[in-house]
Amino acid sequence: MLEPSKSTDSSGMDEFGYAQTLDRSIGKFASFAAGVSYISILTGVFQLFYFGFSMAGPAYAWSWPIVFVGQLMVALCFAELAGRYPVAGSVYNWAKRLASGTSAWLAGWLLLLSSIMALGSVALALQITLPQLWSGFQIVGDGTGPFDFAMNGVVLATIMITISTLINAFGVKLMTMINSIGVFVELVAAVLLILALGWHVARGPEVFFDTAGFGEGHDLGFFGVFLIGAMASGYVMYGFDTASSLGEETKDPKRTAPKAILRAVTASFLLGGLILLFGILAAPDLTDPKIGAADGGLQHIVLSVLGGPFGKAFLVCIVVAVVVCTLAVHAAAIRMMFAMARDNNLPFSRQLSKVDPVRKTPTIAAIVIGVLAVIPLLVNVMQPAIFTILSSISIVLIYLSYLLVTVPMLRKRFLKKWPLRHEGQDEVGFSMGKWGLPVNILAVLWGGAMTLNLIWPRPEIYNSVPPFEWYFQWGGVLFVAAVTIGGTLLYRLKIRHQTGVLAEHAAAVAAHPSSGEAGQPQPQPVRAGGGAEGGLDPMEDDLEPQRVS
């Protein structure tokens, strides 16, 4: 049905006018591992299982296949784009090919902010597992105080982000080596955990068809709480674009990146879904309140079922998954910041796009991302609901950024401008063919519905604990609106007037005489994106001349 096309080893960077400045050393498994580790089955499933279960009980697990089908539609669209343009900051650069300069910049801006928020929320997952592994990891208080859980989570997350910053700043080879080993451990652990939980199944699948009283008293009944609980599944299956965002550092990226995207999301669905299935079926007592508590959840089920050293060994594997997930999220955020900065599309672009000559990695960007990721943690340090708040906001931002790719892509399909007709099949790594239009439509409908569901100002997500204030409940809406409107104004009023590939990152910069220095060659303007082929101008709404900074 959906066949990969033959491809060359072309990186696609010439389409954007970029020079090769990063280290192209990532192989097929490392590319796949990057997508898997961002999605991170063990991190995501274990981090918010308690939330989904507390909202809708065992039947919340139905949200897993629903989210997979929706995200698979998005992943297929991204695979098609990755087969043509596997470059750093993929979503941002793809939007440049499909939409206006403002839309492209906003897609990159929202995804960059989402990655920074996600980096903090993923690192927070250590708090859900480490204290259950050993009480000594509860550094702040004894865990019984109203803010012990949140404050200790911030401490552990800050330590993890610091380690991730050092590893990512050192170079992509070290990061991918650790990441690949970690993903291998995670995949093996996931398979063993599925077998172990399956061996201890204590009930039949009928529990998935029983609402068990959940939703009583809610305006929309069980459907209402199911929509809330779906956030737990929505939090897991995104970030598969990381495989393409590392495309400039991947060998044969036009073939490798699309396959890595699809394999990552499919493997995550299968393994994560089986863990959910057998975890619920093996739980000794589904009425145990610890299953729906942040300090219990699926970890509590594993320890209860497997017990002792065996159960704790799996918790160690979950910690490994959190570590590699943090590394992958950090790496993706760095590539997005680097991609926007080399187009002179961020403040301090020259510094943020600087590539270390020895390590071949954007070291300054790695450090800045690490520092920025800690700020939301410190702001919410006294907020017991920090896990759900940061998680939900990060998902909303990433779904919006994905829509800024899938919507203009769909528009181009209706206008018969996508796929680009003049491109030969030997230049394309993946194509959906006749299935492209229906898949794209479903991707847009899914993205819009899920964004609305996640941003809805429900107290269960944004204001679940005292003090119950309106600005907490509407905090997600206000924050997303502020960064979207503020970002648009920043671009329209300032950034767009300076947009252009920085000279040190341009593939080729012609020279011409300038009145400033008689006889001295000066760089000519290099348009961000290198201009679009087939009349598709990636900066079509930017009327100001662009220049090399």
Side-chain angles (χ1 to χ4, degrees):
M1 181 177 72
L2 302 172
E3 294 293 334
S5 307
K6 294 181 180 180
S7 169
T8 67
D9 198 358
S10 170
S11 67
M13 291 178 63
D14 54 330
E15 301 281 345
F16 296 87
Y18 296 143
Q20 179 71 48
T21 57
L22 302 177
D23 184 13
R24 191 176 292 281
S25 60
I26 298 176
K28 292 181 180 179
F29 181 78
S31 177
F32 162 74
V36 168
S37 59
Y38 196 122
I39 298 173
S40 191
I41 311 149
L42 296 185
T43 301
V45 172
F46 277 83
Q47 184 171 2
L48 287 182
F49 173 89
Y50 80 90
F51 178 80
F53 192 92
S54 67
M55 287 293 107
Y60 113 83
W62 286 108
S63 64
W64 189 259
I66 293 172
V67 169
F68 166 69
V69 172
Q71 289 298 77
L72 179 61
M73 300 301 103
V74 179
L76 285 166
C77 291
F78 283 9
E80 193 169 72
L81 285 161
R84 291 168 171 79
Y85 313 118
V87 293
S90 292
V91 167
Y92 160 71
N93 274 311
W94 294 339
K96 287 195 316 193
R97 277 293 184 228
L98 299 169
S100 67
T102 300
S103 295
W105 189 88
L106 194 59
W109 169 251
L110 293 178
L111 189 54
L112 178 60
L113 292 178
S114 169
S115 296
I116 292 171
M117 299 285 287
L119 179 56
S121 65
V122 166
L124 279 172
L126 290 174
Q127 174 61 24
I128 298 179
T129 302
L130 283 178
Q132 294 195 60
L133 189 60
W134 178 49
S135 60
F137 285 116
Q138 184 65 42
I139 303 168
V140 180
D142 59 3
T144 60
F147 303 112
D148 288 359
F149 194 74
M151 292 180 69
N152 196 71
V154 170
V155 171
L156 295 176
T158 301
I159 295 172
M160 181 65 251
I161 292 171
T162 301
I163 295 171
S164 176
T165 300
L166 294 173
I167 293 173
N168 272 286
F170 191 81
V172 72
K173 287 183 179 178
L174 176 62
M175 189 281 292
T176 53
M177 181 185 70
I178 296 173
N179 195 62
S180 295
I181 294 172
V183 166
F184 179 78
V185 171
E186 180 175 4
L187 293 176
V188 171
V191 172
L192 293 177
L193 182 59
I194 290 167
L195 295 175
L197 291 174
W199 183 261
H200 290 85
V201 164
R203 62 187 55 79
E206 64 275 2
V207 294
F208 296 110
F209 300 92
D210 183 5
T211 60
F214 286 90
E216 292 181 2
H218 194 278
D219 292 341
L220 297 177
F222 179 77
F223 181 67
V225 294
F226 179 79
L227 289 177
I228 300 173
M231 188 194 84
S233 297
Y235 175 69
V236 183
M237 279 182 278
Y238 70 88
F240 36 79
D241 56 291
T242 304
S244 180
S245 203
L246 290 169
E248 290 182 32
E249 297 149 276
T250 303
K251 301 170 185 176
D252 194 9
K254 284 190 175 182
R255 283 190 297 183
T256 301
K259 292 177 182 177
I261 288 172
L262 298 177
R263 287 170 180 169
V265 71
T266 303
S268 299
F269 161 69
L270 292 174
L271 295 178
L274 289 173
I275 290 173
L276 277 179
L277 172 68
F278 289 124
I280 292 172
L281 295 182
D285 181 8
L286 289 178
T287 63
D288 185 348
K290 286 283 284 185
I291 297 178
D295 58 350
L298 194 52
Q299 290 90 330
H300 176 67
I301 292 177
V302 171
L303 288 175
S304 299
V305 173
L306 305 181
F310 196 37
K312 290 197 173 184
F314 279 112
L315 295 193
V316 171
C317 293
I318 296 170
V319 173
V320 171
V322 174
V323 170
V324 296
C325 183
T326 304
L327 290 176
V329 174
H330 202 151
I334 293 167
R335 273 66 191 173
M336 180 58 73
M337 179 172 279
F338 167 77
M340 297 183 73
R342 71 175 166 189
D343 281 350
N344 205 22
N345 263 342
L346 290 174
F348 308 106
S349 285
R350 192 173 298 279
Q351 290 76 22
L352 294 175
S353 66
K354 184 175 178 61
V355 176
D356 186 278
V358 177
R359 299 182 177 88
K360 297 290 184 180
T361 197
T363 303
I364 296 176
I367 296 170
V368 171
I369 292 292
V371 172
L372 293 178
V374 174
I375 294 175
L377 300 178
L378 298 178
V379 170
N380 291 278
V381 70
M382 301 296 286
Q383 173 57 266
I386 184 173
F387 293 88
T388 53
I389 291 173
L390 290 185
S391 301
S392 185
I393 290 176
S394 68
I395 308 171
V396 170
L397 292 176
I398 206 164
Y399 271 77
L400 284 174
S401 67
Y402 283 5
L403 279 171
L404 288 170
V405 172
T406 55
V407 170
M409 188 181 194
L410 180 59
R411 176 176 173 270
K412 294 294 185 186
R413 288 189 193 278
F414 281 128
L415 295 175
K416 306 298 183 183
K417 293 183 178 180
W418 183 269
L420 300 181
R421 299 299 177 186
H422 66 275
E423 291 196 53
Q425 284 297 308
D426 60 335
E427 298 175 353
V428 178
F430 181 86
S431 175
M432 289 189 284
K434 65 180 180 180
W435 294 96
L437 181 60
V439 167
N440 204 158
I441 291 173
L442 291 173
V444 170
L445 293 175
W446 164 255
M450 198 62 174
T451 300
L452 181 62
N453 179 42
L454 291 168
I455 202 172
W456 198 262
R458 299 181 179 93
E460 293 91 342
I461 295 178
Y462 295 103
N463 198 193
S464 59
V465 294
F468 298 107
E469 303 288 352
W470 71 269
Y471 46 83
F472 284 133
Q473 185 170 335
W474 285 84
V477 175
L478 295 174
F479 179 81
V480 172
V483 298
T484 303
I485 296 172
T488 303
L489 292 175
L490 174 63
Y491 179 79
R492 296 299 301 175
L493 298 178
K494 177 175 173 57
I495 298 293
R496 75 188 182 104
H497 301 299
Q498 67 187 42
T499 296
V501 182
L502 295 174
E504 56 266 37
H505 295 286
V509 180
H512 69 94
S514 171
S515 58
E517 294 280 347
Q520 295 295 316
Q522 298 292 328
Q524 285 189 343
V526 178
R527 210 165 164 76
E533 296 185 16
L536 302 178
D537 188 345
M539 295 293 184
E540 62 191 14
D541 70 345
D542 296 331
L543 303 179
E544 297 293 328
Q546 299 178 337
R547 62 180 182 274
V548 174
S549 289

